[in-house]
Amino acid sequence: MLEVYKGLSFDNIDGGVWKQGWRIEVDEKDWNKHNKLKVFVVPHSHNDPGWIKTVEEYYTTQTKHILDNMLSKLPEDPRRKFIWAEISYFAMWWDELEDDDKEKVKRLLRANQLEIVTGGWVMNDEANSHWVSVVHQLTEGHQWLQRNLNYTPLSHWSIDPFGMSLTQPALLKEMGLQNMLIHRIHYSVKKKLALNKNLEFRWRQLWDGKGKTEMFTHMMPFYSYDIPHTCGPDPKICCQFDFKRLPNHGVHCPWRVPPQVITEKKCRRKLLLDQYRKKSKLFKTNVVLVPLGDDFRYDHPSEWEVQYENYQRLFDYMNHNLNLNVKAQFGTLSDYFAALRKEMKVSEFPVLSGDFFTYADRDDHYWSGYYTSRPFYKRMDRVLLSYIRAAESIYGLAYFSKKPGYSWIVDKEVGLEKLISNARQALSLFQHHDGITGTEKDHVVVDYGKRMLSAINSCQRIIQICTHILLNGLEAEVPDKDVNYYNIDDVRHSHNALPEHYQITIGVPELRTKSVVIYNPLTFTRHEVVTFYVSTPFIELTDFKGKRIHCQISPIFEYGSTMSMTKFLLSFVANIPALGLVSYTVNAVLENELPSETVLAKVKIFNHYGDVQAPNGFIPDISPIPNEFTLQNSRVTASFSKIGLLKALKIRKTTVPVHLDFAQYGTRMIHNLESSGAYLFLPDKEDAVPLKIENVGVNVIEGVVLSTVMVQLPYVHHTAVLYNTSGADSLGLEIQNVVDITKTNNFELVMRLSTNINSSDEFFTDLNGFQIIRRKRFKKLPLQANYYPIPTMAYIEDKQTRLTIVTGSPLGCSSLYPGQIEVMLDRRLNQDDNLGLNQGVMDNHPTRHIFRILLEQVTHALRRKITPAGFPSLSAHVASQSLLNPLVRMLRVKDEDVVSKGAYTTVDHEFGVDFSFAYPPTERLHKRKIVYGFGRPSSICRHRVLLQQFPLSHGTVNITGLLALDPSKRLHKSSLSFSLVKNEVDGKGNLPMCPMEMQAFVI
């Protein structure tokens, strides 16, 4: 696709009735009795699980009626067909059906009158969603279909997500699907492909040289998926065959020519057939797909009647007139693909690689604003994903441990299964393309937020209960999911507020001790900084063997240069094995008994006049003038400007200027032209305006465990952290921005990193945390067209140096100048952008963004030939895994607990860091256990020291070694959503996995 973009002029010439195309000419002689046009009209109803209404509101007011009507109207004529996509709604409806009606549904599926397409819980967004979340939502839907209908989807239907990711076909291929339909693609790309009859192609992954990953794909050619834009190139004519728009039916054609009831005298079949023929000229075969539907269509019985009856008359008139050389009929999506494959071998279609971002539906309307809209909830999505992965893994460990309590947690009545199932469904629901995108009404995003908050709390409950079981806690065998054994140090009181943290209140002589437990949800050992708030600086820290641990105590700046007298930050390096639990004990001591292992941090305050009252034990170094300064750990030296912002990074002997600053965009305000909104990014200038930053105080903490720089800027509380460990958190500089733009109007805030790296007009962004793709900045395109999604990371590089930014939440980013990366942090927009939402984005909340900035010398392993694909360095990969899957910090509730053990680990065979591991559905865990693994490129960077600290796999995975499973259990490979069980494999040995490969197993 990058090569296609290079060749496109993006001239947007008016094509006549097909505005974004051209005048299509047809000759009736192109068809004859041996070469008929085959038309499949596919009725559908697009049901958003949340957008203008919440999922519940939509269900009760519209979706329930659509499905009820389907059940009564489809059986009236066996020629009628219908497709359905969203299982979240289908499951709600199914639960209300009587047994007889459930049997009717099964008969419709067996008769091929009803097809479930994709079968996901939702039709997921493809820009912001993490690949693991996409797997969750697809698996949630596929497993529901297996349990209730014994049904496996065959074809994918994606008509509304705003741009298409290359990750989606990779996941669907591994789930056993064979065909894809996609729609929202840049109008110039559609025109280019249509000109060459390449709208159907084999979509191949960038790294695939043999075609193993190919997915056969159909791209819809026209502007919209509604009926006026699906029968052919002329929407004025197509609209006349949308019979819901008949007079007195409440919907009208904007072209002011209404439909007419089809009779023998008023058939107008040739008018419609001409559109079908013209549409066929854009494809290589005589098989034509004509979707027949729109948002929440068929919610009234009358629409079923007028659409199906009038179209059946049209089909009968067409088919009975042999001179027309056409066979038209209702069909499912898979009916169309089956007919297509009979006409032409899939191998004869062209191969296409790359993705389809950034989407534009017309003019300069690039949908790059939604990459960032509602960043508070985008961050919440990643937090929930991390909790689900942690909860699922520790839940599985607790069950397989066979420790007291293992059996009750999987009990259907009193166990934890419902909690984890509800959490997965909340995450799956938010992957909807009007959920995580931030393009829904205010009250709808509140509904999503409350569901995610409840899911986070459920995951926390699972984690702390399973921790109690694994550590042999007292009465762990007693079924009680409401008791608190541990408090997870991430307190969330509201769906729209930043989390808070517990404070460990201890002292001498009473309340001397507090135990904390750390859980590592990843499959490799971690040596990373853990922090807790404590009430006194005079403590000692011991591990579970009673050995003192080096730790750091830092003061807490409450506002400006004012420090708390009663709250301090305890920091230490936790060493936690793969999928392991380790406890530590915090003991209060007298000031004169402070051990040498506990070090009080140094405090410096720049650009501050006057005295500062410091807590006991700290003597701040105060300077009334601003100064430049540096911080360093064993890997990185970071230099800062006089206003406390990053100025340069040094690795080994190489120093690279890395200037961090913040800037703002306004929105264009031109009469009769759209302005920025939830979807669109339409800036007022071709460059952001730097924020004015003057006379700010800079607070600096230097310590043996971590060092920080804190500065309050306009709209941003900015913190830079340098960790001093041998783990993933020390590989670069961590940036924490708490952004608050609630008092602005039409304001979009960005953070920029400017370097001397000669990156030219190229940069790299990831797709769904799964792969990385090369981007190119095009001068022929407006600024907003050069913005792309950054779900987990982006980088720029030249022959000597690479700069990577790793993010903890999905956002929009670009490289608008050589050597620069720009990331959008938040958007506040007063107006609607006329794409259906009918409101601006004004419900901003203070939002915490976490980034890690990594500077690396380009080694031989990073010097790859120029390809459309990029690859993360080893450092970037582990830094991202660490950031997205933080260590879970817990405080033991009962300080007098002397029963619980100090640690738990079962892993005798760690995966390499290039593997990702998760526990998908755990239903009926006591009967079967399902796991999957994910291979990543293992040759991305072979830096000798890093490989010692973060060892890679040898291309194999040992499942029984990781989970301590019963060797007698049989292991089968399966599709990624576990719908298709495949061949048996040797579970005792090492199973091979290639880079970028996903494998699923059923035990």
Side-chain angles (χ1 to χ4, degrees), residues 791-938:
T792 64
M793 70 176 70
Y795 67 82
I796 54 174
E797 66 180 2
D798 58 21
K799 293 182 179 179
Q800 286 76 41
T801 311
R802 174 185 288 192
L803 182 81
T804 303
I805 181 167
V806 174
T807 175
S809 51
L811 299 165
C813 97
S814 188
S815 176
L816 299 176
Y817 296 95
Q820 186 190 81
I821 296 180
E822 173 177 303
V823 179
M824 189 169 287
L825 301 178
D826 204 352
R827 328 174 61 230
R828 186 173 174 86
L829 302 156
N830 295 52
Q831 61 286 313
D832 181 49
D833 48 13
N834 293 325
L835 290 169
L837 185 60
N838 296 317
Q839 67 158 73
V841 182
M842 300 290 287
D843 58 344
N844 306 76
H845 307 293
T847 302
R848 175 174 286 108
H849 295 286
I850 306 176
F851 305 96
R852 287 179 179 169
I853 300 172
L854 283 69
L855 183 71
E856 300 172 90
Q857 293 177 341
V858 175
T859 63
H860 174 73
L862 288 177
R863 287 195 193 102
R864 295 177 173 269
K865 64 181 181 179
I866 296 176
T867 67
F871 296 92
S873 66
L874 177 58
S875 295
H877 173 64
V878 296
S880 179
Q881 289 291 301
S882 164
L883 180 59
L884 294 175
N885 299 278
L887 296 169
V888 181
R889 299 165 297 134
M890 293 173 272
L891 290 76
R892 187 171 289 154
V893 172
K894 293 184 178 180
D895 298 320
E896 65 276 12
D897 182 357
V898 294
V899 174
S900 296
K901 296 196 177 291
Y904 174 82
T905 182
T906 183
V907 175
D908 57 10
H909 178 89
E910 291 196 11
F911 285 9
V913 298
D914 52 329
F915 271 90
S916 181
F917 179 83
Y919 286 73
T922 47
E923 286 118 353
R924 298 184 296 278
L925 183 55
H926 54 294
K927 293 182 180 177
R928 69 196 303 204
K929 180 64 200 156
I930 305 171
V931 298
Y932 65 78
F934 167 49
R936 291 195 61 97
S938 59

Side-chain angles (χ1 to χ4, degrees), residues 616-817:
N616 191 18
F618 297 91
I619 304 175
D621 180 2
I622 302 172
S623 172
I625 59 174
N627 284 307
E628 295 184 350
F629 57 93
T630 63
L631 300 175
Q632 68 180 62
N633 62 18
S634 59
R635 307 179 198 265
V636 182
T637 299
S639 300
F640 296 85
S641 68
K642 293 180 180 180
I643 58 173
L645 297 181
L646 180 65
K647 181 180 177 183
L649 289 173
K650 179 181 178 182
I651 50 171
R652 300 188 188 91
K653 297 181 180 179
T654 302
T655 300
V656 176
V658 183
H659 293 273
L660 187 152
D661 75 334
F662 296 90
Q664 71 176 79
Y665 289 102
T667 184
R668 77 177 185 193
M669 292 291 184
I670 302 174
H671 183 62
N672 289 332
L673 290 179
E674 277 72 18
S675 300
S676 291
Y679 301 88
L680 301 181
F681 176 34
L682 294 167
D684 57 346
K685 295 181 176 66
E686 279 300 307
D687 200 359
V689 178
L691 296 186
K692 292 182 179 179
I693 301 172
E694 298 175 350
N695 198 35
V696 296
V698 180
N699 302 327
V700 181
I701 289 175
E702 294 183 63
V704 294
V705 176
L706 60 80
S707 299
T708 61
V709 181
M710 289 160 281
V711 57
Q712 180 63 58
L713 306 173
Y715 316 113
V716 184
H717 185 273
H718 174 74
T719 304
V721 186
L722 202 57
Y723 298 105
N724 192 18
T725 74
S726 60
D729 53 358
S730 71
L731 294 168
L733 181 71
E734 184 167 290
I735 300 295
Q736 301 175 9
N737 294 323
V738 177
V739 175
D740 185 357
I741 61 170
T742 53
K743 296 182 181 179
T744 65
N745 290 291
N746 281 328
F747 185 94
E748 304 187 59
L749 181 69
V750 298
M751 180 180 74
R752 302 185 295 195
L753 299 170
S754 302
T755 75
N756 64 355
I757 295 173
N758 185 20
S759 58
S760 185
D761 56 2
E762 294 189 333
F763 58 109
F764 297 80
T765 66
D766 77 295
L767 293 170
N768 313 99
F770 180 77
Q771 58 185 306
I772 290 181
I773 190 168
R774 184 185 299 267
R775 306 293 189 189
K776 184 177 177 66
R777 181 179 65 258
F778 289 99
K779 292 182 179 179
K780 60 188 174 184
L781 293 175
L783 183 156
Q784 62 268 26
N786 288 301
Y787 249 75
Y788 291 94
I790 171 179
T792 64
M793 70 176 70
Y795 67 82
I796 54 174
E797 66 180 2
D798 58 21
K799 293 182 179 179
Q800 286 76 41
T801 311
R802 174 185 288 192
L803 182 81
T804 303
I805 181 167
V806 174
T807 175
S809 51
L811 299 165
C813 97
S814 188
S815 176
L816 299 176
Y817 296 95

Side-chain angles (χ1 to χ4, degrees), residues 16-19 22-24 222 228-238 274-280 282:
V17 294
W18 179 17
K19 289 288 185 183
W22 66 90
R23 180 183 175 88
I24 302 174
F222 305 125
H229 294 93
T230 50
C231 88
D234 191 340
K236 180 180 179 180
I237 293 175
C238 292
D274 181 61
Q275 291 299 302
Y276 290 166
R277 286 171 171 169
K278 287 177 177 177
K279 186 173 186 178
S280 76
L282 306 180

Side-chain angles (χ1 to χ4, degrees), residues 492-727:
R492 296 173 183 267
H493 297 295
S494 172
H495 68 277
N496 58 6
L498 291 171
E500 299 175 2
H501 300 283
Y502 289 101
Q503 178 173 328
I504 297 174
T505 301
I506 54 176
V508 178
E510 298 178 350
L511 301 173
R512 296 185 66 114
T513 297
K514 191 68 178 180
S515 293
V516 299
V517 175
I518 316 297
Y519 175 58
N520 174 15
L522 292 178
T523 55
F524 56 86
T525 298
R526 296 165 73 176
H527 313 280
E528 297 176 19
V529 171
V530 169
T531 61
F532 291 94
Y533 287 140
V534 294
S535 61
T536 172
F538 306 116
I539 62 101
E540 70 168 1
L541 181 72
T542 59
D543 64 15
F544 66 94
K545 295 179 180 179
K547 179 184 176 183
R548 281 179 180 166
I549 301 296
H550 289 278
C551 63
Q552 172 184 324
I553 302 294
S554 309
I556 301 295
F557 286 96
E558 294 183 318
Y559 54 90
S561 58
T562 302
M563 288 176 271
S564 173
M565 299 293 133
T566 58
K567 182 188 290 187
F568 305 86
L569 188 69
L570 163 65
S571 310
F572 63 95
V573 180
N575 299 302
I576 316 294
L579 299 176
L581 288 158
V582 176
S583 64
Y584 295 85
T585 302
V586 184
N587 299 305
V589 298
L590 296 173
E591 181 176 354
N592 59 1
E593 296 176 351
L594 191 70
S596 60
E597 289 85 358
T598 302
V599 178
L600 303 187
K602 297 178 181 179
V603 181
K604 296 180 180 178
I605 303 175
F606 296 109
N607 201 26
H608 178 81
Y609 291 88
D611 296 330
V612 172
Q613 185 177 1
N616 191 18
F618 297 91
I619 304 175
D621 180 2
I622 302 172
S623 172
I625 59 174
N627 284 307
E628 295 184 350
F629 57 93
T630 63
L631 300 175
Q632 68 180 62
N633 62 18
S634 59
R635 307 179 198 265
V636 182
T637 299
S639 300
F640 296 85
S641 68
K642 293 180 180 180
I643 58 173
L645 297 181
L646 180 65
K647 181 180 177 183
L649 289 173
K650 179 181 178 182
I651 50 171
R652 300 188 188 91
K653 297 181 180 179
T654 302
T655 300
V656 176
V658 183
H659 293 273
L660 187 152
D661 75 334
F662 296 90
Q664 71 176 79
Y665 289 102
T667 184
R668 77 177 185 193
M669 292 291 184
I670 302 174
H671 183 62
N672 289 332
L673 290 179
E674 277 72 18
S675 300
S676 291
Y679 301 88
L680 301 181
F681 176 34
L682 294 167
D684 57 346
K685 295 181 176 66
E686 279 300 307
D687 200 359
V689 178
L691 296 186
K692 292 182 179 179
I693 301 172
E694 298 175 350
N695 198 35
V696 296
V698 180
N699 302 327
V700 181
I701 289 175
E702 294 183 63
V704 294
V705 176
L706 60 80
S707 299
T708 61
V709 181
M710 289 160 281
V711 57
Q712 180 63 58
L713 306 173
Y715 316 113
V716 184
H717 185 273
H718 174 74
T719 304
V721 186
L722 202 57
Y723 298 105
N724 192 18
T725 74
S726 60

